[in-house]
Amino acid sequence: MTDRSLTPVAAKNRGLKKCLTGIKGFDEITEGGIPRNRITLLSGGTGTGKTLLGIDFLIGGATQHDEPGVVMSFEENDDELFADVASLNFDLLSLVADRKILLEYVLLERRDVQSDGEFNLEGLFVRLELAIDSIGAKRVVLDSIDSLFAGVTDVGILRLEIKRLFRWLKNKKVTALVTGETTQGTYTRHGLEAYVSDGIIFVDNRVRDQISTRRIRVIKYRGSNHGTNEYPFVIDENGLSVIPITSSGLDQPGSSERLSTGIPSLSAMFNGGGYTRGSTVLVSGTAGTGKTSLAAAFAVESCKRRERCLFLSSEESPGHLIENLSSIGFDLAPLVDSRLLLIVSTRPSFFGLEMHLLDLYKMLAEFKPQAVVIDPLTSLIGQGNQMEIESMLTCMIDSLKSNGITGFFTSLVSSTRQNDNSGKIGVSSLIDTWIVVRELEESEGRKRIRGLYIVKSRGMAHSSDVHKLVMSDSGMSWMPMDADGCRWMPTPLRARSRRARSERRPRIRRRTSMPDASPPSDSERAARMSTARPNYIVGVGGSAGALNAYKALLESLTTDTGMAFVIISHITPDAYSQLALILSRCSSMPTMVAVSGMPIQANADLEIEAFIFKVITPRSRRAAQIDLFFVSLASAMGGFAIGIVMSGYGGDGTLGVQSIKEKGGTTFAQDASAAVNGMPTRAQASTYVDFVLSPEKIGAALMQIGSRFF
């Protein structure tokens, strides 16, 4: 029999004795199993796995804890129960032969439970006691209680007999699991068992978007803490497995060891010489930019160290993957033959997220890899809602890190969302090293090339420059960009002329004001606006004491940054402000008030949408305008969004910098030079701030970031 045991989970509440079920994951969410020598009600609809869970509970007790068990079934005979588990790795027949488990089928007739016209359970007690005593059973499953009391119509008698049955089981000092069928509004057909049981476990099977998912939840557990969420569970050849997604913790060990990327020129871009062992690496980009090739380079390098690597592909079969990668010098076939590399290809739509995660757990336990490649993560989008996908990926990443396994993931970015570098996977904050690969246009559209830059690498200095990818029969390499420079391609099509590109780019109005107090005319505004789309949009948020910081920042910038600057400042709605006029004297850049087809109104919020400012009235929340704008900026610009939090009271801007970081952008906070440190300090405490600098040094850093595109 397959060993399905987990590391025992000790009961945290020492005042209540618990019975480990042996069901993977379930003992974690109950903090030690179900209550020992008490009655637990297992409720669910048809096809939710109640009978199987009960048999799994008995098999776990017999094989792992030397506790014999009895299953008394009122619906299926012995042969039917054997047939039910025939497709699973349950050696139920041997356990019955060794008298570790006793199957007791009871065909109830009305005369069996009635005496002189009254309901009577004495015959059942005699038969159940004989079964328990014959093998010294410690566990009992009754399947199901609805069938047992189907003929009882008197509610008073029903309640008394249910209490009598449960008390009899407790006096026998057995741990009982009683199944029941849910009806509308109740956990059993009669609805009374829930009140007298010590615990209630609810299971269901729901279908959404043609995907079936089983869920389990602990409704009631007297005298003990327990997980209160819904948890997915799956039934496979090894039985039932609960996936306690929310139980994953932050207890992963750290490491200072560095692993080669498999490409020397790429390793040189990291000061440590490669990725950190046990970390997570994400490579995101549009189709055809070399994501799978980068993953293959890492996998081959892992195998060269005689370390096992698991390669999970959802787009190519193992044969196609081996053939395609051989064209750039990666010979995977010998690595597969030597069992150093295991390639598994599965279509995501074959089964749900829970089964994908369970299969990964199995392969980690059986193959024991030191590195895992998943190509791509974004293939799971569509197999659940955003929260379910993020929970599943969080659990998967935590599992890899807890075992010291280096995870390498790729993420496909749609060509229509050039600024959303994460590929909508929603776990960029959990990634330790993030690399973006994109299509570039070189020499004014004459040639299409691939480019790469490192968004972040925790705990390690790294190059921030854009490098060019060169692929040939002998492998891959990276080199600095040519002197004439490159620009991001707006679509995966062949580059268009400069004139055609500029005609398709939307305009963006830059927030500020005119030097005089009167509003600018339409012609003046149009003359001052840049018709080219900026490479970056910089949001600057501040409140009390931020004026000097704004001035110092603007004075440190030149006019050719390639960036658009938007200043969001807390100002009383009915106050007359000359802030825009003051700031226009600190910079030679074109300066205008942001509009949305009309002058800015009082009590309004400001967002950015499709590179056009959008004014929202009335204002949604007081003192949250910086967060609102930063969130919309992150959504619009992705990795090309920059957020700066300056002097001010409160915490406005903290949620905004988090959104910008999660989309791959860059964030700053003013250092101790802030006149009022409330806002920058709160932003720093969130851990989503990249740099803490003075306004002058922030300006210098922005100039360095902008220089990538010139």
Side-chain angles (χ1 to χ4, degrees):
M1 172 172 290
T2 301
D3 183 11
R4 302 179 298 112
S5 62
L6 289 178
T7 301
V9 182
K12 293 185 178 180
N13 189 335
R14 296 186 179 181
L16 178 67
K17 294 182 178 180
K18 296 191 176 184
C19 177
L20 291 167
T21 64
I23 299 173
K24 290 187 290 187
F26 182 78
D27 291 332
E28 295 181 34
I29 65 175
T30 54
E31 298 186 0
I34 62 177
R36 182 174 292 279
N37 299 336
R38 297 193 182 191
I39 290 83
T40 299
L41 175 64
L42 176 60
S43 174
T46 303
T48 54
K50 300 184 300 297
T51 301
L52 181 59
L53 192 150
I55 294 176
D56 209 348
F57 166 65
L58 294 183
I59 292 177
T63 59
Q64 301 173 30
H65 305 289
D66 194 25
E67 294 183 0
V70 172
V71 54
M72 179 168 281
S73 174
F74 305 106
E75 298 178 348
E76 296 180 284
N77 59 33
D78 296 2
D79 292 336
E80 290 170 334
L81 287 175
F82 284 130
D84 289 344
V85 300
S87 61
L88 309 179
N89 291 335
F90 288 173
D91 196 0
L92 183 59
L93 189 61
S94 296
L95 292 173
V96 171
D98 295 338
R99 297 187 62 78
K100 295 290 186 180
I101 292 179
L102 180 63
L103 305 182
E104 190 75 12
Y105 171 61
V106 178
L107 178 62
L108 287 176
E109 301 287 350
R110 182 175 294 273
R111 63 177 180 273
D112 296 329
V113 293
Q114 288 189 350
S115 176
D116 299 328
E118 295 183 359
F119 192 83
N120 194 321
L121 287 178
E122 289 301 328
L124 177 70
F125 289 156
V126 170
R127 189 165 178 177
L128 185 56
E129 184 172 27
L130 179 62
I132 292 173
D133 293 343
S134 66
I135 63 171
K138 300 296 183 182
R139 305 185 181 202
V140 171
V141 172
L142 300 182
D143 184 35
S144 71
I145 198 169
D146 298 299
S147 299
L148 176 59
F149 293 106
V152 183
T153 58
D154 190 310
V155 176
I157 294 177
L158 178 63
R159 178 181 286 272
L160 290 175
E161 290 300 319
I162 290 175
K163 291 176 65 176
R164 183 182 174 205
L165 171 62
F166 284 15
R167 176 55 55 189
W168 187 90
L169 290 170
K170 287 184 178 181
N171 290 338
K172 289 296 294 183
K173 297 188 181 304
V174 293
T175 304
L177 194 63
V178 180
T179 68
E181 296 181 5
T182 55
T183 58
Q184 188 172 6
T186 61
Y187 293 110
T188 60
R189 190 174 302 168
H190 305 99
L192 300 175
E193 297 87 343
Y195 298 100
V196 294
S197 61
D198 297 288
I200 302 175
I201 301 168
F202 177 70
V203 290
D204 76 337
N205 187 8
R206 66 192 68 168
V207 178
R208 186 182 61 206
D209 297 331
Q210 303 180 24
I211 298 176
S212 174
T213 304
R214 288 186 170 92
R215 302 277 174 170
I216 189 169
R217 181 160 67 103
V218 180
I219 303 292
K220 171 183 174 182
Y221 200 138
R222 286 175 179 163
S224 174
N225 295 326
H226 58 85
T228 57
N229 296 328
E230 281 190 331
Y231 301 91
F233 73 93
V234 296
I235 299 173
D236 64 356
E237 67 276 6
N238 290 326
L240 189 144
S241 299
V242 179
I243 304 174
I245 286 180
T246 57
S247 71
S248 301
L250 296 174
D251 57 353
Q252 300 91 356
S255 174
S256 59
E257 183 181 355
R258 302 293 188 255
L259 304 178
S260 173
T261 64
I263 305 172
S265 53
L266 177 59
S267 298
M269 295 172 63
F270 297 90
N271 279 18
Y275 312 129
T276 302
R277 181 179 291 279
S279 66
T280 50
V281 181
L282 174 67
V283 176
S284 60
T286 53
T289 51
K291 301 182 299 298
T292 302
S293 301
L294 283 171
F298 173 71
V300 170
E301 188 66 23
S302 297
C303 295
K304 287 181 179 178
R305 295 191 298 269
R306 308 302 297 174
E307 296 178 356
R308 291 183 175 182
C309 179
L310 174 63
F311 198 115
L312 304 179
S313 174
S314 60
E315 297 181 340
E316 298 178 273
S317 68
H320 284 159
L321 195 65
I322 293 173
E323 178 65 25
N324 293 337
L325 290 172
S326 66
S327 64
I328 54 174
F330 295 131
D331 190 3
L332 303 185
L335 303 178
V336 173
D337 294 339
S338 63
R339 292 284 296 167
L340 287 172
L341 179 64
L342 175 63
I343 302 176
V344 178
S345 299
T346 306
R347 289 293 184 191
S349 57
F350 280 2
F351 34 75
L353 293 173
E354 296 77 21
M355 188 63 77
H356 282 291
L357 186 57
L358 181 62
D359 280 352
L360 175 62
Y361 286 166
K362 290 180 181 177
M363 287 184 282
L364 294 182
E366 296 172 2
F367 188 60
K368 294 180 173 55
Q370 285 79 44
V372 171
V373 174
I374 301 181
D375 178 42
L377 274 184
T378 39
S379 63
L380 297 173
I381 295 176
Q383 306 309 308
N385 59 41
Q386 185 67 21
M387 184 181 69
E388 291 172 339
I389 294 171
E390 290 182 10
S391 297
M392 181 264 195
L393 295 179
T394 300
C395 192
M396 177 187 69
I397 290 173
D398 283 348
S399 177
L400 295 179
K401 287 191 171 184
S402 296
N403 290 281
I405 300 172
T406 307
F408 192 106
F409 317 123
T410 67
S411 173
L412 177 64
V413 178
S414 171
S415 60
T416 62
R417 298 177 61 90
Q418 290 287 307
N419 293 319
D420 186 2
N421 297 324
S422 65
K424 298 172 63 177
I425 59 172
V427 292
S428 57
S429 60
L430 302 178
I431 298 299
D432 298 307
T433 298
W434 187 359
I435 300 173
V436 172
V437 285
R438 302 291 291 271
E439 288 183 334
L440 306 176
E441 57 183 25
E442 188 178 43
S443 302
E444 293 302 325
R446 291 199 302 268
K447 184 179 180 182
R448 181 184 74 98
I449 64 172
R450 300 176 178 91
L452 171 148
Y453 69 92
I454 302 171
V455 177
K456 68 174 181 180
S457 187
R458 287 174 177 159
M460 189 190 315
H462 57 84
S463 171
S464 59
D465 296 332
V466 180
H467 285 65
K468 181 167 63 175
L469 167 62
V470 178
M471 302 179 69
S472 64
D473 294 343
S474 58
M476 307 170 65
S477 62
W478 303 93
M479 61 180 60
M481 302 300 293
D482 295 334
D484 57 353
C486 299
R487 296 185 65 87
W488 299 119
M489 289 188 69
T491 70
L493 302 177
R494 290 291 181 181
R496 298 183 294 271
S497 67
R498 178 186 296 272
R499 178 180 177 183
R501 289 195 306 274
S502 63
E503 288 175 352
R504 294 180 61 90
R505 286 174 176 165
R507 296 186 175 188
I508 181 165
R509 297 175 172 88
R510 297 179 180 176
R511 171 188 170 93
T512 47
S513 177
M514 298 298 297
D516 52 31
S518 60
S521 65
D522 292 340
S523 59
E524 289 174 327
R525 181 181 291 112
R528 290 169 181 259
M529 286 177 59
S530 170
T531 59
R533 167 177 162 180
N535 296 318
Y536 292 89
I537 295 182
V538 183
V540 184
S543 185
L547 177 57
N548 289 333
Y550 296 153
K551 294 167 65 176
L553 173 64
L554 294 177
E555 289 171 351
S556 67
L557 298 170
T558 63
T559 59
D560 57 351
T561 61
M563 302 176 177
F565 295 84
V566 182
I567 295 179
I568 307 294
S569 191
H570 291 172
I571 300 174
T572 305
D574 55 358
Y576 175 74
S577 173
Q578 291 188 320
L579 176 62
L581 176 61
I582 295 171
L583 294 180
S584 68
R585 298 169 179 168
C586 301
S587 175
S588 57
M589 287 187 289
T591 304
M592 281 164 290
V593 176
V595 296
S596 180
M598 66 183 74
I600 288 289
Q601 303 175 16
N603 297 319
D605 286 336
L606 187 63
E607 288 187 349
I608 183 170
E609 185 176 89
F611 300 97
I612 298 296
F613 283 117
K614 177 182 177 183
V615 176
I616 305 171
T617 57
R619 189 164 63 181
S620 57
R621 289 187 297 158
R622 178 177 175 82
Q625 282 67 53
I626 299 172
D627 279 333
L628 182 66
F629 181 78
F630 279 12
V631 169
S632 67
L633 176 62
S635 178
M637 295 299 292
F640 298 94
I642 299 176
I644 304 173
V645 179
M646 296 292 199
S647 171
Y649 293 106
D652 193 12
T654 299
L655 294 177
V657 295
Q658 178 179 348
S659 295
I660 290 174
K661 281 306 300 175
E662 289 177 346
K663 290 293 185 180
T666 306
T667 55
F668 296 83
Q670 189 176 355
D671 61 7
S673 64
V676 179
N677 63 7
M679 285 169 47
T681 300
R682 287 278 292 275
Q684 295 172 43
S686 72
T687 71
Y688 289 99
V689 172
D690 292 314
F691 305 101
V692 180
L693 302 170
S694 65
E696 296 84 358
K697 291 185 178 180
I698 292 177
L702 293 176
M703 295 292 293
Q704 183 177 1
I705 293 173
S707 65
R708 296 177 182 173
F709 292 86
F710 295 94

